[in-house]
Amino acid sequence: MLLSVKNITLLFLIRVYMENDKQTKIKLIECAKKEFIEKGYMKASLRNICKEAGVTTGAMYFFFKDKEELFESVVGGPLISLMNTIRAHFDQETDFIGDVSSITKLDLKEDYVAASDILSVLFQFKEEYLLLMNKAQGSKYEKIVDSLVEQIYEHYLQMYCKMKGYTSKKNITSEDKFIVHWMSHDQIDIFIHLLVHCETEKEAAKQMKNMFNYMVGGWIATIRKDIIK
Amino acid sequence: MLLSVKNITLLFLIRVYMENDKQTKIKLIECAKKEFIEKGYMKASLRNICKEAGVTTGAMYFFFKDKEELFESVVGGPLISLMNTIRAHFDQETDFIGDVSSITKLDLKEDYVAASDILSVLFQFKEEYLLLMNKAQGSKYEKIVDSLVEQIYEHYLQMYCKMKGYTSKKNITSEDKFIVHWMSHDQIDIFIHLLVHCETEKEAAKQMKNMFNYMVGGWIATIRKDIIK
Amino acid sequence: MLLSVKNITLLFLIRVYMENDKQTKIKLIECAKKEFIEKGYMKASLRNICKEAGVTTGAMYFFFKDKEELFESVVGGPLISLMNTIRAHFDQETDFIGDVSSITKLDLKEDYVAASDILSVLFQFKEEYLLLMNKAQGSKYEKIVDSLVEQIYEHYLQMYCKMKGYTSKKNITSEDKFIVHWMSHDQIDIFIHLLVHCETEKEAAKQMKNMFNYMVGGWIATIRKDIIK
Amino acid sequence: MLLSVKNITLLFLIRVYMENDKQTKIKLIECAKKEFIEKGYMKASLRNICKEAGVTTGAMYFFFKDKEELFESVVGGPLISLMNTIRAHFDQETDFIGDVSSITKLDLKEDYVAASDILSVLFQFKEEYLLLMNKAQGSKYEKIVDSLVEQIYEHYLQMYCKMKGYTSKKNITSEDKFIVHWMSHDQIDIFIHLLVHCETEKEAAKQMKNMFNYMVGGWIATIRKDIIK
DNA sequence: GATGAATGAGTGTTCATTCAT
DNA sequence: AATGAATGAACACTCATTCAT
C-alpha cells in the first residue's frame, strides 16, 4: 500500500521532471541561440549565455560538452532536416544519357518544386539557418555553405551533361565544371538571400519565382553558350 | 655633457630610424596581412603579428591606433581602388528614360567591359580582397559585400527600368527592387567566386565569360518575365 | 492489483540492487584504482572514474565520503596488511643489552626472512602499493614512505645499538640516529625499487638477495666505522 | 667615436634597466618558488603567485610562457649546475679493462670527492633542489630523479665491471645491471636524503661520510658477492 | 620610433561536492 | 542505491591596449 503511494509519487515526479528537467536545457539553448545570433559563434560568451539563463557555467557543462556542442544543439537539428530535404530531392541518380529533347526547362521546373520544399524547411527554423549560414565562423560549421554547394553540385553536373547532350563523362571540361559549380553555388545563394531578405516564407516564395526565372534564363544561356565576345 | 652625448646618440638613432621607419610599418602590414588571411580578423592576434614582424606591440601602436586601423592599412587601399573603379563604371547617371529599343544586350555588354576592369583590379590585390570579402568578420568591413552590392544596385535598377520600359520611378514595384537587388548581389558574387576559385586573372577572365553569359541569360529572362508557373 | 504488480517489480529491483550493491562499489573501486594509477591521486578525476564505472558521481558519494575515502578504499586494505606484516617482524622488543658476540650477520639474516615476507605481501597487491608509494601526492598518504621508515626505524636502532655494544640509550649520538634512519630508509627503498622494477615476486626475490647483500655490507661497514678519511 | 658614445648611453640604460626591470621578474620567481615549495608544482596557483608578487597574471605572462616556464625559471638554473657537476665527475670514460688490483676502495674514494662537490652544489640552492626532487610532480621534471640515476649509471656500471674483473661487456648479466642500477639509485638517494634532513652543508658533509662508508661497504660486499643463502 | 612592462577584463573549461528526489 | 541537476570556486591562459621611458 505504502509502496503504491510511492509509485504514484514517482510517476508524478517523473512527469514533473519531464517538464522541469529539460527546462534548464531548453532555456540554455534559447539563450545560446540569442547570444549566437547577436554576436556570432566566436564572440558569443558562455558566461553571458549562462547568466541570461540564470544558471552557472557548471550547469551548462552538465548538458553540453563544450561551446561547440551547445552551438550544435542550436543548429544541429535544423541542419539535419535541411540536409535530408536536399538529399531527398537532389540525390536520385538520373540516367546520364537521358532523352535530350525532353529536358531543359522541365528538369529545372522539377528543381523549382524541390526548391519550394527546401524553402519551406528553411523558414521553419529561419533563425537557426541564418546562424548557420552567416554567423558560424569559428565553429565546425563555418564551411557549411560550401558543403551544401557540394551536395547539389553532382546533381547539377548530371543535369548539365544531359542538357549538353554529353554521352560520356569524359566530355566534361574543367570549364564545364567551373560554371556548374558556380550555378550550384548560385542556387544556394538564392536560398540564403531569401532567408536574409524575406520576413515570411510566403514572401520568399513569391520572390523566389523571379529568382528562379533568372536562374533558368541563366541555365539556358549557359547551355546554348551564346556568349558575349 | 652627458645629456648632449645622449642627444647626439638620439639624433643618430633617429636618422637610422627614419630609414627603418617605413620599413617597420611595411613589415607590420605584411605580417598583419599574413595573420589576418590565416586566421581572419577576429582570431588574428596582434601579439603574433608583432612577434612575426620583430617588434613589440608598443611599436605597432605607434603606427596604428588599434587593431581596426591595422586591418584598414592592409585592406583600405585596395578597397578604395575597387570602389573607385566601380564608381567609374556604375555611377554615371544615364537618362532614366532612355531609348528603349537600343538596349538589352548592349548595356550588359558595357557591363562586361566594366567587369573586366574590376576583375583586373581585384586580381591586383587578390589576397587583400579575399581578406575583405571572406575574413573581415568582426571588423568594420564585415558588411563590405552588402555595401558593394548597394553601390551597383542603383545602376542596375536604372538599367532594369530602361529595359522594362518604365517611364517613371513610380512604376517600380518592391518585387522589381527585390530581383534587381538580387541580380546586383549576384554580380558581386561572381567577382568573389572568381577571386576565390581562380589562381590568375587570365583564368578568371575566361571563366567570367561563361558566368556573364549566365547572368545575361538571367537578366533577359527576368525582363521578359517568362516565369515558371 | 496493478499496484501490487508494481510492488513486486520494486521488490525485485531492490533484490537486484542488493546484489548489484557491492558490485557497484567494487566496480567503482576498480575504476578508481585504474584512474589513480594512470594519473596519480591529484590529477585523477572523480567524474572519469564514475563515467568508467557507469554510474553518476552521486552514486559514488553514497559509498564514499569524498575523494580521499575512495582512494583509501583502494589502498587502505593493502596498507593495513603491509603495516601488520611489518609490525609482526619489526615490533618485537628485543632485550636492549643482548649477547653482543652472537649478532651481526645473524640479526640481519632474520631481517632477510622478514623482508621476504614483506616482499610477498607487496607483490600480492603490487598495483596498490605502487599507487601508495609513488602516486599518492595530494592525499593523506603522501608521506606514507616516511611513516613506513619510522615504523622500522626503532627496530633498526635497537639492532644497531646491540651491534655497537651500546649498553644504554644514552650512548646513542645524533650521528648514530642519522645513519640508522638512513639505513631504515634504504631498506624501504629496496622494497619500492623491487616493486617498481620487477614484474614478478620471483624475480624480485632473486634481485633482493643482491640488494640485501649490499645492505648487509653497508651495515657491517657502518658498525665497524672504517670510514674514508 | 660616435659608436662609443652610443655604447656609453647604451650601457647606462642597460644598467638602469638591469636594476629596475628585472625586479618584477625576480619577485615573481621568488613568489613562485615559495608557492611551489608550499604546494608542489600541480597545486601551486599562478593567481596566488601573482597576487603575492603584487602583479596581474598578464604581467607574469609577459615574462614566462606558461606555468612550466615559470617553474623552469625557478629550478632550471640549479638543475643545469647540478647536471654539469655530475657530468664533470662521472662522464670521463675510464678504460674498461683497468688495473684490477688497484681499484676497489680507491675508485670509491674518488667518488667521495665527487660527491662532496655535488653536495656543495646541492646546498647552494637547497630549496630549488628539494623542489625538483620532491615537488615537481606534474611538471616536465617529475622524472628528474630517474634521469639523474641514468646519468651516473653508466659510470657505475663501468666501475663495477672493473672491480669484477670483467674483460668484456658481454660478461655483464641482467643481474649485474640490476644491482648497479640500484646502487646508482642509492647514490642519488643519499644526496636527496641529505638535502631533506640536513640544515647545513657542513652537517650534510659530516653525515655523508657515514653514508658513504655504508655505501662502500655495500659495494665491496656486492663485488665479493658473499651472499646470504 | 620603439621598448619593456603592465593592466584588467575576459576566455573556455574543470573540479569536487551537494542534494532533492 | 542511485540519479540528474546544479553549484561556485578555481584553473591556466589570452587579449587588445596603455604608457613611461
Side-chain angles (χ1 to χ4, degrees):
Chain A
M1 252 278 296
L2 209 143
L3 287 174
S4 69
V5 168
K6 261 192 190 169
N7 278 344
I8 291 166
T9 313
L10 200 61
L11 286 170
F12 173 71
L13 288 173
I14 286 172
R15 199 165 315 132
V16 170
Y17 268 150
M18 283 303 187
E19 278 151 32
N20 246 19
D21 160 19
K22 295 211 169 168
Q23 237 149 352
T24 300
K25 191 173 181 180
I26 289 167
K27 191 91 207 283
L28 236 14
I29 291 176
E30 275 168 7
C31 295
K33 185 170 120 182
K34 210 177 129 200
E35 174 94 356
F36 283 133
I37 286 169
E38 210 174 294
K39 307 195 185 160
Y41 178 78
M42 273 175 85
K43 277 202 174 166
S45 154
L46 295 184
R47 275 224 219 338
N48 269 4
I49 291 168
C50 292
K51 200 193 293 167
E52 202 70 20
V55 293
T56 59
T57 59
M60 190 234 102
Y61 275 92
F62 175 77
F63 294 103
F64 310 98
K65 197 177 120 265
D66 52 17
K67 196 182 187 181
E68 192 87 54
E69 197 174 298
L70 178 57
F71 189 65
E72 199 176 344
S73 291
V74 176
V75 299
L79 179 57
I80 288 169
S81 291
L82 179 60
M83 290 295 207
N84 287 340
T85 309
I86 289 177
R87 203 166 297 130
H89 283 294
F90 287 82
D91 262 17
Q92 67 258 39
E93 288 282 330
T94 49
D95 297 323
F96 182 70
I97 309 166
D99 188 351
V100 187
S101 59
S102 67
I103 32 162
T104 318
K105 285 204 187 175
L106 188 65
D107 290 71
L108 289 164
K109 201 164 185 179
E110 267 169 22
D111 251 47
Y112 175 70
V113 175
S116 295
D117 277 11
I118 289 168
L119 201 65
S120 184
V121 171
L122 287 174
F123 272 82
Q124 214 175 328
F125 298 102
K126 193 176 188 281
E127 290 177 317
E128 286 81 354
Y129 290 116
L130 281 171
L131 202 42
L132 261 170
M133 313 283 177
N134 290 325
K135 313 260 182 112
Q137 201 165 93
S139 79
K140 67 175 175 183
Y141 295 113
E142 64 182 359
K143 307 253 184 198
I144 192 67
V145 173
D146 288 345
S147 81
L148 289 178
V149 171
E150 237 50 58
Q151 285 264 323
I152 64 171
Y153 168 71
E154 281 300 326
H155 169 82
Y156 277 137
L157 190 59
Q158 278 183 33
M159 197 162 79
Y160 179 85
C161 289
K162 276 210 297 183
M163 288 174 165
K164 273 287 192 183
Y166 288 175
T167 50
S168 158
K169 284 207 172 180
K170 287 172 185 166
N171 296 112
I172 309 171
T173 65
S174 70
E175 225 176 309
D176 287 328
K177 283 181 187 168
F178 193 96
I179 193 67
V180 173
H181 192 268
W182 158 250
M183 294 188 300
S184 306
H185 193 108
D186 213 39
Q187 170 63 88
I188 298 297
D189 272 358
I190 284 174
F191 289 129
I192 296 175
H193 198 87
L194 288 165
L195 212 45
V196 172
H197 294 95
C198 299
E199 279 296 308
T200 64
E201 189 192 339
K202 202 178 154 191
E203 202 212 326
K206 190 181 76 179
Q207 307 292 5
M208 192 177 69
K209 271 192 192 164
N210 292 326
M211 293 170 91
F212 236 80
N213 190 48
Y214 167 89
M215 203 185 87
V216 171
W219 267 84
I220 294 168
T222 298
I223 301 300
R224 288 196 198 139
K225 210 168 186 177
D226 42 3
I227 223 152
I228 300 162
K229 278 160 207 166
Chain B
M1 251 277 298
L2 209 142
L3 288 174
S4 70
V5 168
K6 266 188 186 169
N7 279 344
I8 291 166
T9 314
L10 200 61
L11 286 171
F12 174 73
L13 288 173
I14 286 172
R15 200 164 317 130
V16 170
Y17 277 149
M18 282 305 186
E19 279 151 32
N20 262 18
D21 172 11
K22 290 203 170 171
Q23 249 161 319
T24 299
K25 193 172 179 179
I26 289 168
K27 192 87 209 282
L28 235 14
I29 292 177
E30 275 169 6
C31 295
K33 185 171 123 183
K34 210 177 129 200
E35 174 93 357
F36 283 132
I37 286 171
E38 211 174 293
K39 308 193 185 161
Y41 178 79
M42 274 174 88
K43 275 201 175 168
S45 154
L46 294 184
R47 263 232 249 339
N48 270 6
I49 291 167
C50 293
K51 198 195 293 165
E52 201 71 20
V55 293
T56 58
T57 58
M60 191 234 99
Y61 274 91
F62 176 80
F63 293 105
F64 311 98
K65 195 175 123 265
D66 54 15
K67 195 181 187 179
E68 193 85 55
E69 198 174 298
L70 177 59
F71 189 65
E72 199 176 344
S73 293
V74 175
V75 298
L79 179 56
I80 288 170
S81 290
L82 179 62
M83 290 297 207
N84 287 340
T85 308
I86 288 176
R87 203 166 296 127
H89 284 293
F90 288 81
D91 262 16
Q92 67 259 39
E93 286 283 330
T94 49
D95 298 324
F96 181 69
I97 308 165
D99 187 352
V100 187
S101 58
S102 66
I103 33 163
T104 320
K105 283 204 186 175
L106 189 64
D107 290 72
L108 288 164
K109 199 162 187 181
E110 267 168 24
D111 248 48
Y112 176 68
V113 175
S116 294
D117 278 9
I118 290 168
L119 202 65
S120 185
V121 171
L122 287 175
F123 272 82
Q124 214 175 329
F125 298 100
K126 193 174 187 282
E127 291 177 316
E128 285 80 354
Y129 290 116
L130 279 171
L131 203 42
L132 262 170
M133 314 283 177
N134 288 325
K135 313 257 181 117
Q137 203 164 94
S139 79
K140 66 176 175 185
Y141 296 112
E142 66 182 359
K143 308 253 184 195
I144 192 67
V145 172
D146 289 345
S147 80
L148 289 178
V149 170
E150 237 51 57
Q151 285 264 323
I152 64 171
Y153 168 70
E154 280 300 326
H155 169 82
Y156 278 136
L157 189 58
Q158 278 183 34
M159 198 162 79
Y160 179 86
C161 289
K162 277 209 298 182
M163 287 175 166
K164 273 289 193 185
Y166 288 175
T167 51
S168 158
K169 285 206 173 183
K170 287 171 186 167
N171 294 113
I172 309 171
T173 65
S174 71
E175 224 177 311
D176 287 328
K177 283 181 187 167
F178 194 95
I179 192 69
V180 173
H181 192 269
W182 158 249
M183 293 188 300
S184 306
H185 193 110
D186 213 38
Q187 170 63 86
I188 298 297
D189 272 359
I190 284 175
F191 290 129
I192 297 175
H193 198 87
L194 287 166
L195 213 46
V196 172
H197 293 95
C198 299
E199 280 294 307
T200 63
E201 189 193 337
K202 204 179 152 189
E203 201 211 327
K206 191 182 77 179
Q207 307 292 5
M208 192 176 70
K209 270 191 192 165
N210 292 326
M211 293 169 91
F212 236 80
N213 191 46
Y214 167 89
M215 201 184 88
V216 172
W219 268 84
I220 293 168
T222 299
I223 300 302
R224 289 198 197 136
K225 209 166 185 176
D226 42 3
I227 222 148
I228 300 162
K229 277 160 209 167
Chain C
M1 251 262 316
L2 210 143
L3 288 175
S4 71
V5 167
K6 270 186 186 168
N7 279 344
I8 290 165
T9 312
L10 200 61
L11 286 171
F12 173 72
L13 287 172
I14 288 172
R15 198 167 314 133
V16 169
Y17 274 149
M18 284 303 187
E19 277 152 33
N20 260 20
D21 174 8
K22 290 202 171 170
Q23 248 160 321
T24 299
K25 193 172 179 181
I26 289 167
K27 192 88 208 285
L28 235 13
I29 292 175
E30 273 168 9
C31 295
K33 183 171 124 184
K34 209 176 130 201
E35 175 94 355
F36 283 132
I37 286 170
E38 210 173 295
K39 307 193 186 161
Y41 178 79
M42 273 175 86
K43 275 200 176 168
S45 154
L46 294 184
R47 263 230 248 341
N48 269 5
I49 292 168
C50 292
K51 200 195 293 165
E52 201 71 19
V55 294
T56 58
T57 57
M60 191 234 99
Y61 273 91
F62 176 79
F63 293 105
F64 311 97
K65 194 177 125 264
D66 54 16
K67 195 181 187 180
E68 193 85 56
E69 197 175 297
L70 178 57
F71 188 65
E72 200 177 342
S73 293
V74 175
V75 298
L79 180 56
I80 289 170
S81 291
L82 178 61
M83 290 297 207
N84 288 340
T85 308
I86 288 176
R87 203 166 296 128
H89 284 294
F90 288 82
D91 261 16
Q92 68 258 39
E93 287 281 332
T94 49
D95 297 325
F96 181 69
I97 309 167
D99 188 351
V100 186
S101 58
S102 66
I103 32 163
T104 318
K105 284 204 185 175
L106 188 65
D107 290 72
L108 289 165
K109 200 163 185 180
E110 267 168 24
D111 249 49
Y112 175 70
V113 175
S116 295
D117 277 9
I118 289 168
L119 201 65
S120 185
V121 171
L122 287 174
F123 272 83
Q124 212 176 331
F125 297 102
K126 192 174 188 283
E127 291 178 317
E128 285 80 355
Y129 290 116
L130 279 172
L131 203 41
L132 261 170
M133 313 284 178
N134 289 325
K135 314 256 182 114
Q137 203 164 92
S139 79
K140 67 176 175 183
Y141 296 113
E142 64 182 0
K143 307 254 185 196
I144 192 67
V145 172
D146 288 345
S147 79
L148 289 178
V149 171
E150 238 49 58
Q151 286 264 322
I152 64 171
Y153 169 70
E154 281 300 327
H155 169 82
Y156 278 136
L157 190 59
Q158 278 183 33
M159 196 164 79
Y160 178 86
C161 289
K162 277 208 297 182
M163 287 174 167
K164 274 287 194 185
Y166 288 175
T167 50
S168 157
K169 285 206 173 182
K170 287 172 185 166
N171 295 114
I172 310 172
T173 66
S174 70
E175 224 177 311
D176 288 327
K177 282 181 188 167
F178 193 96
I179 193 67
V180 174
H181 192 268
W182 159 249
M183 293 187 301
S184 307
H185 193 110
D186 213 38
Q187 170 63 87
I188 298 297
D189 272 359
I190 285 175
F191 289 129
I192 296 175
H193 198 87
L194 288 166
L195 211 46
V196 172
H197 294 95
C198 299
E199 279 295 308
T200 63
E201 189 193 337
K202 202 179 154 192
E203 200 212 328
K206 191 181 76 178
Q207 307 292 5
M208 191 175 70
K209 272 191 191 165
N210 291 326
M211 293 168 91
F212 236 80
N213 190 47
Y214 167 90
M215 203 185 88
V216 171
W219 268 85
I220 293 169
T222 299
I223 300 301
R224 289 195 196 141
K225 209 168 186 176
D226 41 5
I227 222 151
I228 300 162
K229 279 160 205 165
Chain D
M1 253 276 299
L2 211 143
L3 287 175
S4 69
V5 169
K6 247 195 193 174
N7 279 345
I8 292 165
T9 315
L10 201 61
L11 286 171
F12 174 72
L13 288 172
I14 286 172
R15 201 165 313 132
V16 170
Y17 271 146
M18 281 303 184
E19 278 151 31
N20 247 15
D21 159 22
K22 293 210 168 167
Q23 237 150 356
T24 299
K25 191 173 181 181
I26 289 168
K27 191 91 207 282
L28 236 12
I29 291 177
E30 275 168 7
C31 295
K33 186 171 120 182
K34 210 177 129 201
E35 175 94 356
F36 283 133
I37 286 170
E38 209 174 294
K39 307 193 187 163
Y41 178 79
M42 271 175 87
K43 274 202 175 167
S45 154
L46 294 184
R47 275 228 231 332
N48 270 4
I49 291 168
C50 292
K51 200 194 292 166
E52 201 71 20
V55 293
T56 59
T57 60
M60 190 235 100
Y61 275 94
F62 174 76
F63 294 104
F64 310 97
K65 198 176 119 265
D66 53 17
K67 196 182 187 180
E68 191 87 54
E69 198 175 297
L70 178 57
F71 189 65
E72 200 176 344
S73 292
V74 176
V75 298
L79 179 56
I80 288 170
S81 291
L82 179 61
M83 289 296 206
N84 287 340
T85 309
I86 289 177
R87 203 167 297 128
H89 283 294
F90 287 82
D91 262 16
Q92 68 258 38
E93 286 284 328
T94 48
D95 297 323
F96 182 68
I97 309 166
D99 187 353
V100 187
S101 59
S102 67
I103 34 163
T104 318
K105 284 205 185 174
L106 189 64
D107 291 73
L108 288 165
K109 201 163 185 180
E110 268 169 22
D111 249 49
Y112 176 70
V113 174
S116 295
D117 277 11
I118 290 168
L119 201 65
S120 184
V121 170
L122 287 175
F123 271 82
Q124 213 175 331
F125 298 102
K126 192 174 187 282
E127 291 177 315
E128 285 80 354
Y129 290 116
L130 280 171
L131 203 40
L132 262 170
M133 314 283 178
N134 289 325
K135 313 260 182 113
Q137 202 165 92
S139 79
K140 67 175 174 184
Y141 296 113
E142 65 182 358
K143 307 252 184 198
I144 193 67
V145 172
D146 288 345
S147 81
L148 289 178
V149 171
E150 237 49 59
Q151 285 262 325
I152 63 171
Y153 168 71
E154 280 300 326
H155 169 81
Y156 279 137
L157 190 59
Q158 278 182 33
M159 198 164 79
Y160 179 86
C161 288
K162 276 209 299 182
M163 288 175 166
K164 274 288 193 185
Y166 287 175
T167 50
S168 159
K169 285 206 171 181
K170 286 172 186 165
N171 295 112
I172 310 172
T173 65
S174 70
E175 226 176 309
D176 287 327
K177 283 181 187 167
F178 194 96
I179 193 68
V180 173
H181 192 268
W182 158 250
M183 293 187 300
S184 306
H185 193 110
D186 212 39
Q187 169 63 88
I188 299 295
D189 272 359
I190 284 175
F191 289 129
I192 297 175
H193 198 87
L194 288 166
L195 213 45
V196 172
H197 293 95
C198 298
E199 279 295 309
T200 63
E201 189 193 338
K202 203 178 153 190
E203 201 211 327
K206 191 181 76 179
Q207 307 292 6
M208 191 176 69
K209 270 191 193 165
N210 292 326
M211 293 169 91
F212 236 80
N213 191 47
Y214 167 89
M215 201 185 88
V216 171
W219 267 85
I220 294 169
T222 298
I223 299 303
R224 290 199 196 136
K225 209 168 185 176
D226 42 1
I227 221 149
I228 300 163
K229 277 161 208 164

